[in-house]
Amino acid sequence: MTIQEHLEKYGYAVIEDFLTEKEIFAMKEEGKNMSKEGIKRRTKSLFSGNVTQPQASDRYFIESANNISFFYETQAFNEDGTFKCDPEISLNKVGHAIHRLNSVFAQITFHEKIKNICRKLKMKKPAVIQSMYIYKNPKIGGQVNAHQDASYLYTEPSSLYGFWIALDDATEENGCLSFIPESHNNNVRYRFKRNPNKNSEKLCITEGCNQVYNDDEFKSLPVKKGTCVIIHGNVVHRSSHNYSDKTRHAYTFHIYDSARSVYSKDNWLQAAFQNLYEN
């Protein structure tokens, strides 16, 4: 079954050995560098994997579309602001413009092999929306609840794809991705978007109902480091808490076809998107 066929049938596809050992090493080293930079900045902006309660009133979060911004695990700090754990493993993620502002991640994001995938998916003018280095560090790495990416990066008609690249072996023990196969055939049922009321302290609002799913609907997807998982914007997926002593770092970014879809003006993330083929 080809990548396109698997995506069309199940809503996700797997490409093994997508990155070389050299590329993986370079990205993980840059992940360490960003972690050290995050400690210096100490923004104390937290990121919850409970996607029904994102950072609706956090201006730092909203403005991260055009910056390299640092977000900590919700359990990273004590009440007095001191770290509960080693600061270097306290980050949840760094985003959302590292594909534009960091050369290591730009090289992967705009690599010819990414362009070739988009060509196979018949994307005429793929635009890179945002990017994240996700840590999910041992013991502290939080869960990400079931969601559709298009709830946050909505396009009409749907043409959103996520590219999720494993920088460590992702297992059921350290929080690998899991999917509800064929759920991409459903429309987006929940939106997280900018608040039209500019006078409100709440910068973003939710619309619709975020559905509750049964555990037995999900299929776990353990993968080896270097694997790329392509995720349809409408497919329901999640990842569990990392209770193990193994890291589960990943690099992920999102692309949509700007030639045939409109990116919603009320999406929380607004930025100047770059055409993949022209970079």
Side-chain angles (χ1 to χ4, degrees), residues 143-210:
Q143 70 178 16
V144 176
N145 288 355
H147 66 286
Q148 298 167 292
D149 289 344
S151 292
Y152 307 92
L153 305 171
Y154 185 76
T155 67
E156 182 64 43
S158 175
S159 68
L160 180 71
Y161 289 99
F163 289 70
W164 187 95
I165 303 174
L167 302 179
D168 295 298
D169 291 347
T171 67
E172 292 187 359
E173 289 71 32
N174 69 3
C176 67
L177 296 174
S178 60
F179 293 85
I180 298 182
E182 302 182 28
S183 58
H184 64 299
N185 294 315
N186 298 321
N187 294 325
V188 172
R189 298 168 177 172
Y190 170 87
R191 290 283 312 282
F192 175 73
K193 60 186 186 179
R194 295 202 172 203
N195 191 346
N197 181 359
K198 304 302 181 182
N199 297 319
S200 174
E201 290 184 2
K202 198 170 186 180
L203 302 178
C204 290
I205 59 173
T206 59
E207 179 181 270
C209 179
N210 200 15

Side-chain angles (χ1 to χ4, degrees), residues 10 19 38 47 65 67 90 100 103 110 161 173 178 182-183 185 206 221 231-232 236 257 270 278:
Y10 298 108
L19 291 189
F47 186 84
N67 300 306
S90 61
R100 289 194 281 123
S103 61
F110 297 98
Y161 289 99
E173 289 71 32
S178 60
E182 302 182 28
S183 58
N185 294 315
T206 59
L221 190 70
I231 304 171
H232 190 286
V236 177
D257 191 349
Q270 299 293 328
E278 295 178 355

Side-chain angles (χ1 to χ4, degrees), residues 230-242:
I230 306 174
I231 304 171
H232 190 286
N234 285 20
V235 74
V236 177
H237 59 291
R238 68 183 186 182
S239 66
S240 62
H241 195 290
N242 182 5

Side-chain angles (χ1 to χ4, degrees), residues 7 12 19 23 29 46 51 63 120 136 157 203 210 214 242-243 277:
L7 268 170
Y12 61 92
L19 291 189
E23 288 169 332
E29 285 298 299
L46 307 180
V51 294
E63 294 176 349
K120 289 179 181 179
K136 201 179 277 283
L203 302 178
N210 200 15
N214 296 323
N242 182 5
Y243 289 111
Y277 296 153

Side-chain angles (χ1 to χ4, degrees), residues 78-267:
N78 294 305
E79 290 184 4
D80 62 0
T82 57
F83 281 106
K84 285 184 178 180
C85 60
D86 182 345
E88 291 197 15
I89 64 166
S90 61
L91 279 174
N92 173 285
K93 68 176 183 178
V94 177
H96 288 93
I98 57 177
H99 66 286
R100 289 194 281 123
L101 302 177
N102 184 295
S103 61
V104 173
F105 297 103
Q107 287 176 5
I108 296 299
T109 309
F110 297 98
H111 197 284
E112 193 64 28
K113 52 191 168 186
I114 298 293
K115 296 176 183 179
N116 286 337
I117 291 173
C118 290
R119 292 186 185 107
K120 289 179 181 179
L121 297 178
K122 297 181 171 55
M123 300 181 82
K124 294 182 178 179
K125 194 176 178 182
V128 184
I129 300 173
Q130 61 94 45
S131 52
M132 298 176 286
Y133 189 98
I134 301 174
Y135 289 87
K136 201 179 277 283
N137 280 314
K139 307 299 182 184
I140 194 172
Q143 70 178 16
V144 176
N145 288 355
H147 66 286
Q148 298 167 292
D149 289 344
S151 292
Y152 307 92
L153 305 171
Y154 185 76
T155 67
E156 182 64 43
S158 175
S159 68
L160 180 71
Y161 289 99
F163 289 70
W164 187 95
I165 303 174
L167 302 179
D168 295 298
D169 291 347
T171 67
E172 292 187 359
E173 289 71 32
N174 69 3
C176 67
L177 296 174
S178 60
F179 293 85
I180 298 182
E182 302 182 28
S183 58
H184 64 299
N185 294 315
N186 298 321
N187 294 325
V188 172
R189 298 168 177 172
Y190 170 87
R191 290 283 312 282
F192 175 73
K193 60 186 186 179
R194 295 202 172 203
N195 191 346
N197 181 359
K198 304 302 181 182
N199 297 319
S200 174
E201 290 184 2
K202 198 170 186 180
L203 302 178
C204 290
I205 59 173
T206 59
E207 179 181 270
C209 179
N210 200 15
Q211 186 172 336
V212 177
Y213 303 94
N214 296 323
D215 288 342
D216 59 8
E217 296 181 79
F218 287 88
K219 179 182 178 180
S220 294
L221 190 70
V223 296
K224 294 292 185 181
K225 67 179 180 178
T227 298
C228 179
V229 182
I230 306 174
I231 304 171
H232 190 286
N234 285 20
V235 74
V236 177
H237 59 291
R238 68 183 186 182
S239 66
S240 62
H241 195 290
N242 182 5
Y243 289 111
S244 79
D245 59 358
K246 304 292 185 182
T247 61
R248 200 231 65 180
H249 291 195
Y251 174 57
T252 183
F253 54 93
H254 287 86
I255 293 175
Y256 84 106
D257 191 349
S258 60
R260 70 179 183 88
S261 295
V262 175
Y263 182 82
S264 179
K265 292 181 179 179
D266 61 12
N267 283 335

